[in-house]
Amino acid sequence: MSTTTISKTEKVKSAASDKSAQKSAVKNEKIEVDSRMNLIKHKIFILSGKGGVGKSTVAVNLATSLALSGKKVGLLDIDFHGPSVPQMLNLSNVSVPMTGEEIIPVTDGKNLKVMSIGFALDNADSSVIWRGPLKARLIKQFLGNVQWGALDYLIVDSPPGTGDEPLSLAQLIPHPDGAIIVTTPQLISINDVRRCVGFCKRMNLKVIGVIENMSGFVCPNCGEITDIFKIGGGRQMSDYLDIPFLGSIPLEKDIVSASDEGKPFILHYPGTMAAHMFNKIIENILN
Ligand code: ADP
């Protein structure tokens, strides 16, 4: 046998052993993710076609409300390009080491555990160029290596659109309950709801329902309602696509200040019309 032949054979052997090592690593990761996720009763994705429509606001307030009602809740923010959950929960200065085997989520000491990609960034000025494989690896880590423990709900806030991140989630999380789609009422946002619904269908992910956010503005002085982003588009699209409509939330200036101050709106402004609408939506989700 010539030297060239031996080295070719060795190359083939080593490529085969690399492949099998890769396969077993993927299998182990899947086992890790499944064993963590199987301890969680309900897994809900919050999706939106566009950014800025209130997806994180819904995720934070839904998680807070469930935790206040005594449920054990996890909130996972994988919005790589604009994680807002730390700011919305006054956790901006918290950092969590992302190395090591087990990642300990940030907890309020009671019912809520939070993990955000924002905890991995040193400060608000940090930006990282996230490439697809890196994102997928981190999502796996967030699902398989975070000490979520036994939870009633895991709420996942993913980036807008139907790209890599929701795809990884839908492929990785076993038996999710489904997705809630957040939209604003105007056509330019509503059209993206169809894309989200199409994505859910392709991934066999149930659409729990649509929330129309920023639906009309009630003047605090005279009570007159102004349809800044129009009104009713979310319901019309839900009817058209034959998916549940969960309710609408008006534009409310206290939602903006609550987010900026890191105070969950539903907890700090319970008497407002928006909080009332939020609670009705949560009831619909739970039903
Ligand atoms: P997304 O996650 O879709 O990008 P966010 O939840 O981060 O959107 O919301 C974007 C901004 O809009 C935030 O400043 C938030 O406080 C504000 N906001 C969300 N919903 C409302 C609402 N109903 N009324 C007023 N401001 C809102």
Side-chain angles (χ1 to χ4, degrees):
M1 216 186 269
S2 76
T3 342
T4 343
T5 326
I6 290 169
S7 83
K8 263 189 190 162
T9 319
E10 275 175 354
K11 266 188 195 162
V12 171
K13 267 191 188 162
S14 124
S17 105
D18 280 358
K19 245 191 179 166
S20 113
Q22 258 175 23
K23 260 192 183 168
S24 89
V26 168
K27 206 172 155 194
N28 286 343
E29 279 170 356
K30 171 102 183 88
I31 292 170
E32 268 172 6
V33 170
D34 283 357
S35 63
R36 295 258 183 216
M37 291 296 114
N38 287 336
L39 294 175
I40 302 173
K41 285 189 201 149
H42 300 286
K43 290 147 281 215
I44 299 177
F45 304 162
I46 314 290
L47 303 180
S48 72
K50 287 211 187 309
V53 298
K55 177 181 46 60
S56 301
T57 307
V58 166
V60 163
N61 283 285
L62 173 60
T64 304
S65 166
L66 289 169
L68 281 171
S69 74
K71 304 284 182 207
K72 294 206 175 309
V73 184
L75 174 59
L76 172 59
D77 167 20
I78 54 150
D79 194 342
F80 285 82
H81 304 285
S84 348
V85 165
Q87 175 66 50
M88 289 181 175
L89 287 173
N90 196 21
L91 300 171
S92 296
N93 296 321
V94 172
S95 72
V96 171
M98 295 286 169
T99 48
E101 283 303 298
E102 278 225 308
I103 304 169
I104 313 289
V106 176
T107 167
D108 67 348
K110 288 182 222 138
N111 291 332
L112 185 63
K113 290 179 175 174
V114 185
M115 181 49 60
S116 166
I117 186 64
F119 298 151
L121 305 173
D122 293 338
N123 56 55
D125 303 328
S126 300
S127 72
V128 175
I129 297 173
W130 298 104
R131 300 203 186 277
L134 188 60
K135 283 188 200 170
R137 234 181 55 215
L138 217 60
I139 291 174
K140 265 185 209 154
Q141 255 192 306
F142 278 173
L143 299 176
N145 294 15
V146 171
Q147 235 184 44
W148 292 111
L151 295 178
D152 294 304
Y153 289 91
L154 179 67
I155 309 295
V156 189
D157 181 12
S158 47
T162 50
D164 288 347
E165 299 85 341
L167 186 70
S168 294
L169 286 173
Q171 287 171 336
L172 284 166
I173 298 190
H175 317 299
D177 290 61
I180 293 170
I181 302 172
V182 183
T183 182
T184 46
Q186 76 274 36
L187 202 60
I188 211 151
S189 181
I190 285 297
N191 280 337
D192 288 335
V193 172
R194 303 163 86 131
R195 270 185 270 281
C196 286
V197 172
F199 168 83
C200 292
K201 276 196 180 142
R202 275 200 309 282
M203 302 309 295
N204 281 327
L205 191 61
K206 180 180 162 188
V207 178
I208 296 172
V210 171
I211 297 175
E212 179 176 304
N213 189 26
M214 308 191 186
S215 177
F217 169 72
V218 187
C219 173
N221 300 319
C222 68
E224 191 190 342
I225 299 175
T226 311
D227 302 343
I228 295 180
F229 296 118
K230 298 189 173 169
I231 213 161
R235 183 184 281 282
Q236 278 162 20
M237 186 51 89
S238 305
D239 289 348
Y240 176 71
L241 297 172
D242 199 19
I243 48 177
F245 181 67
L246 296 169
S248 37
I249 304 164
L251 269 166
E252 161 75 62
K253 76 177 176 39
D254 291 334
I255 292 186
V256 180
S257 27
S259 303
D260 281 0
E261 288 163 20
K263 297 176 178 169
F265 172 76
I266 211 158
L267 172 63
H268 291 270
Y269 298 88
T272 56
M273 180 160 138
H276 172 69
M277 303 301 273
F278 240 124
N279 283 320
K280 273 184 110 174
I281 288 172
I282 293 166
E283 253 176 55
N284 286 341
I285 295 169
L286 297 183
N287 287 337

